[in-house]
Amino acid sequence: MKPVLITIGAIVALMGVIFLFQGIGILGGRAMTGSTLWAILGPIIALAGIVLVVLGLRRGRKS
């Protein structure tokens, strides 16, 4: 379960960064490019992914 949580967290964090970059216009795309909504949601999604990675890394240390 630990590697799965870390992998999912990393993917979610990467998606959040991509959404942020599209929202602020650094990455081109379609509807998301230049959208304030994605510029705000991107970092929130990335933070959620980082939390999942941290939880995955901390899981199993208690013995």
Side-chain angles (χ1 to χ4, degrees):
M1 181 69 177
K2 182 177 174 178
V4 173
L5 194 58
I6 293 170
T7 302
I8 290 173
I11 291 170
V12 170
L14 179 62
M15 288 173 50
V17 171
I18 290 171
F19 293 167
L20 168 66
F21 287 159
Q22 283 186 330
I24 60 177
I26 292 176
L27 287 177
R30 294 190 181 218
M32 292 170 61
T33 302
S35 173
T36 305
L37 173 68
W38 292 108
I40 294 170
L41 289 178
I44 295 169
I45 294 168
L47 183 62
I50 292 169
V51 168
L52 289 175
V53 169
V54 169
L55 288 174
L57 291 172
R58 295 187 77 194
R59 183 173 285 255
R61 286 191 180 179
K62 297 177 184 176
S63 295

